[in-house]
Amino acid sequence: MSEHHIKLPEGSIEKTTTTLNLGPTHPATHGVFQNILELDGERIVSAEQTVGYIHRAFEKIAERRPLYQITPLTDRLNYCSSPINNMGWHLACEKLLGVKTPKRVDYLRVIIMELARISDHLICNSIVGVDAGAYTGFLYVMQYRELIYEIYEEVCGSRLTTNMGRIGGFERNFNDIAFQKLEKFLSEYPRVLKEFENLFTRNRIFMDRTIGAGPITAERALNYGFTGPNLRAAGVDYDVRIHTPYSSYEDFDFEIPVGTTGDCYDRYLVRNQEMWQSLRIIEQAYQKVQEFKGAEAEIYHADVPEYYLPKKEDVYTKMEALIWHFKIIMGEIEMPPGEIYSAVEGGNGELGFYFISDGGRAPYRLHFRRPCFIYYQAYEELTKGSMLSDAIIVMSSLNLIAGEMDA
Amino acid sequence: MGLTNEIIRQKLTEKFGEAIADFTEPFGMLTFSAPRELNLKVLTFLYDDSDLGFRFLTDLCAVHFPNQKDKELAVVYHLHNLDQNVRIRFKIFAPISQPDVYTATGLFSSANWMERETYDFYGVNFMGHPNLKRILNVDEMDYFPLRKEYPLEDQSRIDKDDEMFGRGGSVGFGNDKNRQGTLTEMEKKHVGDEII
């Protein structure tokens, strides 16, 4: 039989493991990135990640753009919750420019950011279900993500990459339809989320697939720079909303859910609990917004003519407004020099903006701290020694968003 | 509570003396710099000292300052003490001709990719890094694109045949009459001195 053997070159060692490419275009990656897995049977021996397939040089582009033209770039980081990125960017600008926003603007922002968080977690958790073989949950909740997108649409006109808000507030006041849809969401969503939890939380198959898959200790998670739900699932109660409150988060009463083992099941539970907490925050914020009456209910931006676009009617009729409009649109506003780091709690964790201004019209340097990029490097440690099917579920439960990884 | 910027500053000066310099507090965040050969010593001290305890590396990136002689590249660390909720910013400067800096991967696993990213865009050579290669750009790239000597394309350049993308389309269509004789240096390089 020996004559049938493939003749290997002298001195070569027969490879006993299989190489498997997960990605760049694999249905399980839900985005463009690659995992090169070495498999021994079905066990993972090593994993090497390749990112950068959709790198778009945002940091370089931002060095030539006025502030408003950078907002659409931030949309495309974590595109499952782009309003948080937009608000985070505007908050960073406001910090540098010294703009103080009115309370009503803060509360409206909180509503939008928490809606975005819900839609982000909703997608992540339902995709975990899909990757575990349960498509139903994904279809149930999709209707409510749609409702959230409709609210975005009422507020800013677009759905996925929202480009929402301005420095100092919103481009227009929330209309009645937006509030009606918000009320509809608040009244109907708890029932749906409960149903979603009934489908998964105590589901034997789901538990067997996720418990113990991709665990990480709190210490390792911190060392790997985990933030957001993934860190909290490991048992660390770090949340930017509590530690460095922005946009008046200190006015709200909510809890930080934490897990213990940091495995896929805990990550799932933490995200689900966070959705309940987000609902709580939205309810409180909506109540606070309703308390503004009369002229106060018309406030939706700060009074900063240097950075906030004037009304269209004024642009057509008043010289002053026309000048500001032109200056803002053409990016001819000089910023004060300064150096800031401003962070918000994004869908995946601490989304930071390191912003250096040299007094010019565009940032001298803008660096995005992208949580996804930082925690994805732990993927090998999370999956080593586990089964291939676990690797898939770890990937979806980390909520890896290619746009955020690559910037 | 109780870890204030003043205490951090005192502790650092006590330990490293004059080496730690440029203390500032932009927007309340303590910022300081050290000579680049000390970066790992300072990071380790900040990590290990029981009072300081900066054990979370929030962010690591570089900045290019072409006008600072022999200090062209800054590597910026954002550190966070999660217990006391204090953030600090720590900078080191390296000459662009020889940007060698010690790696922080021994202290922070998260530094691995962040240093690769910094290398990728600025060419900072992190000595001792386990796998220092490009991460977001293609491996074949032979320059470091975020350095300031690579300006982004001038949006008003007119030599490009990009009519479909709304650029350069006006050349030869009479729209550019007012621009005669007002070519920028960059445009002259592209289209020569002839009148368009």
Side-chain angles (χ1 to χ4, degrees):
Chain A
M1 293 295 279
S2 63
E3 66 270 20
H4 294 299
H5 273 184
I6 300 163
K7 282 226 160 55
L8 291 165
E10 196 74 22
S12 58
I13 305 160
E14 269 188 78
K15 195 163 168 267
T16 53
T17 53
T18 319
T19 310
L20 183 75
N21 275 295
L22 270 184
T25 52
H26 189 279
T29 56
H30 307 293
V32 202
F33 49 91
Q34 187 185 25
N35 285 297
I36 306 163
L37 303 176
E38 280 299 320
L39 298 170
D40 178 12
E42 221 183 314
R43 297 236 170 245
I44 293 164
V45 181
S46 73
E48 196 196 332
Q49 308 96 303
T50 316
V51 300
Y53 288 97
I54 60 162
H55 170 58
R56 294 143 295 179
F58 284 166
E59 290 173 10
K60 188 77 183 174
I61 297 172
E63 286 176 12
R64 258 195 92 107
R65 287 199 176 186
L67 300 179
Y68 276 120
Q69 292 183 18
I70 297 171
T71 323
L73 301 179
T74 63
D75 283 340
R76 284 145 181 87
L77 292 171
N78 182 351
Y79 39 72
C80 287
S81 51
S82 26
I84 303 186
N85 309 343
N86 300 155
M87 307 285 156
W89 166 241
H90 288 140
L91 284 163
C93 296
E94 283 159 15
K95 195 169 167 187
L96 179 79
L97 305 171
V99 175
K100 184 95 182 64
T101 48
K103 278 282 175 192
R104 188 168 185 271
V105 171
D106 286 356
Y107 298 151
L108 290 176
R109 280 184 172 174
V110 165
I111 292 178
I112 289 296
M113 283 194 277
E114 293 307 315
L115 282 173
R117 192 179 322 282
I118 289 177
S119 79
D120 189 276
H121 288 355
L122 205 52
I123 284 297
C124 176
N125 270 355
S126 52
I127 287 291
V128 173
V130 170
D131 287 346
Y135 213 95
T136 328
F138 181 69
L139 293 178
Y140 275 11
V141 299
M142 200 43 81
Q143 212 176 336
Y144 283 85
R145 192 185 76 145
E146 174 67 22
L147 185 54
I148 294 176
Y149 280 11
E150 280 176 22
I151 298 171
Y152 295 169
E153 224 173 338
E154 292 303 329
V155 173
C156 73
S158 50
R159 294 159 54 87
L160 187 74
T161 49
T162 47
N163 191 14
M164 191 189 283
R166 300 261 166 82
I167 293 166
F170 286 90
E171 53 270 54
R172 64 178 84 85
N173 203 353
F174 284 28
N175 58 20
D176 291 341
I177 303 170
F179 284 126
Q180 278 160 23
K181 288 195 165 155
L182 184 67
E183 275 169 23
K184 182 172 175 309
F185 181 80
L186 285 174
S187 67
E188 291 176 12
Y189 184 64
R191 189 180 51 79
V192 175
L193 186 54
K194 195 84 203 62
E195 198 173 358
F196 181 72
E197 284 185 337
N198 287 345
L199 273 171
F200 287 107
T201 308
R202 301 299 294 171
N203 181 318
R204 192 71 251 169
I205 304 170
F206 183 74
M207 286 168 80
D208 284 348
R209 284 296 305 278
T210 49
I211 291 177
I216 189 160
T217 61
E219 201 186 332
R220 290 303 294 155
L222 283 172
N223 203 258
Y224 264 122
F226 274 47
T227 41
N230 297 331
L231 177 67
R232 291 191 281 271
V236 183
D237 60 343
Y238 173 61
D239 190 319
V240 186
R241 289 174 293 173
I242 301 276
H243 279 72
T244 359
Y246 51 91
S247 196
S248 299
Y249 264 107
E250 66 275 13
D251 295 359
F252 300 100
D253 187 23
F254 64 103
E255 285 156 20
I256 315 178
V258 287
T260 48
T261 57
D263 61 5
C264 291
Y265 189 63
D266 274 14
R267 286 195 277 270
Y268 160 83
L269 288 179
V270 164
R271 284 207 171 86
N272 255 356
Q273 276 310 312
E274 275 187 20
M275 283 196 263
W276 288 112
Q277 297 302 329
S278 293
L279 267 175
R280 248 176 97 184
I281 299 172
I282 298 173
E283 271 164 9
Q284 295 171 40
Y286 183 45
Q287 211 174 359
K288 284 181 198 285
V289 166
Q290 280 175 315
E291 280 164 16
F292 293 101
K293 299 279 182 231
E296 277 197 319
E298 296 301 313
I299 295 171
Y300 58 95
H301 65 87
D303 185 23
V304 274
E306 302 95 320
Y307 311 112
Y308 187 90
L309 276 176
K311 280 199 175 108
K312 256 300 187 284
E313 304 94 272
D314 294 348
V315 174
Y316 288 133
T317 51
K318 292 183 186 132
M319 197 57 188
E320 183 82 354
L322 180 66
I323 292 169
W324 282 122
H325 180 89
F326 183 83
K327 277 175 83 88
I328 293 170
I329 291 287
M330 300 307 285
E332 293 186 353
I333 305 284
E334 257 117 49
M335 287 177 270
E339 183 177 19
I340 58 152
Y341 176 81
S342 163
V344 292
E345 181 73 24
N348 284 333
E350 180 173 336
L351 175 73
F353 298 89
Y354 176 45
F355 184 173
I356 302 179
S357 158
D358 62 346
R361 295 168 177 184
Y364 184 79
R365 168 84 167 109
L366 180 62
H367 179 74
F368 303 109
R369 184 212 191 257
R370 299 149 355 246
C372 229
F373 176 77
I374 292 168
Y375 65 63
Y376 185 38
Q377 39 187 327
Y379 185 69
E380 181 174 16
E381 196 171 306
L382 291 177
T383 54
K384 212 170 200 170
S386 64
M387 308 286 270
L388 173 61
S389 51
D390 289 347
I392 308 271
I393 228 166
V394 170
M395 206 173 349
S396 49
S397 101
L398 282 175
N399 199 14
L400 300 169
I401 309 283
E404 192 169 72
M405 257 183 275
D406 293 354
Chain B
M1 294 306 279
L3 184 63
T4 58
N5 289 349
E6 198 47 47
I7 295 174
I8 303 168
R9 187 178 170 157
Q10 271 173 14
K11 284 221 145 209
L12 283 166
T13 327
E14 224 170 83
K15 173 85 180 166
F16 296 98
E18 296 293 299
I20 309 279
D22 307 334
F23 283 101
T24 49
E25 287 184 28
F27 296 88
M29 192 190 275
L30 183 71
T31 305
F32 53 89
S33 69
R36 65 183 160 128
E37 36 322 324
L38 280 180
N39 74 328
L40 208 51
K41 286 200 174 117
V42 175
L43 285 174
T44 317
F45 176 68
L46 289 167
Y47 188 98
D48 283 337
D49 190 273
S50 54
D51 291 336
L52 297 174
F54 286 97
R55 300 200 171 166
F56 190 80
L57 178 65
T58 305
D59 195 17
L60 192 166
C61 67
V63 191
H64 186 199
F65 298 102
N67 297 330
Q68 296 180 7
K69 185 95 182 68
D70 287 335
K71 281 182 158 195
E72 285 96 346
L73 289 176
V75 179
V76 186
Y77 302 85
H78 282 87
L79 298 159
H80 198 165
N81 178 337
L82 290 173
D83 291 335
Q84 306 270 345
N85 194 24
V86 179
R87 292 175 193 269
I88 51 169
R89 186 185 291 130
F90 167 46
K91 291 179 187 176
I92 50 167
F93 293 94
I96 204 159
S97 50
Q98 201 196 350
D100 296 339
V101 170
Y102 292 113
T103 174
T105 43
L107 274 179
F108 305 103
S109 305
S110 53
N112 190 327
W113 280 20
M114 290 197 259
E115 284 181 356
R116 276 177 70 184
E117 191 192 15
T118 309
Y119 163 75
D120 195 352
F121 289 114
Y122 286 92
V124 178
N125 177 28
F126 289 96
M127 293 183 294
H129 189 284
N131 184 24
L132 194 65
K133 58 176 191 185
R134 288 186 183 273
I135 185 161
L136 292 180
N137 289 312
V138 286
D139 292 342
E140 295 78 37
M141 197 177 232
D142 56 358
Y143 55 95
F144 302 108
L146 241 65
R147 288 186 179 175
K148 292 282 180 191
E149 66 251 39
Y150 302 106
L152 268 170
E153 183 179 293
D154 182 357
Q155 308 223 331
S156 61
R157 66 186 274 197
I158 48 171
D159 60 307
K160 265 189 123 178
D161 187 16
D162 257 7
E163 210 169 324
M164 297 296 283
F165 299 99
R167 200 167 39 178
S170 64
V171 179
F173 285 86
N175 297 336
D176 44 297
K177 277 196 186 115
N178 332 342
R179 286 171 55 92
Q180 277 185 13
T182 59
L183 291 181
T184 62
E185 284 307 309
M186 193 168 202
E187 286 167 349
K188 274 184 196 151
K189 211 166 74 192
H190 290 301
V191 290
D193 286 329
E194 80 264 28
I195 290 167
I196 44 169

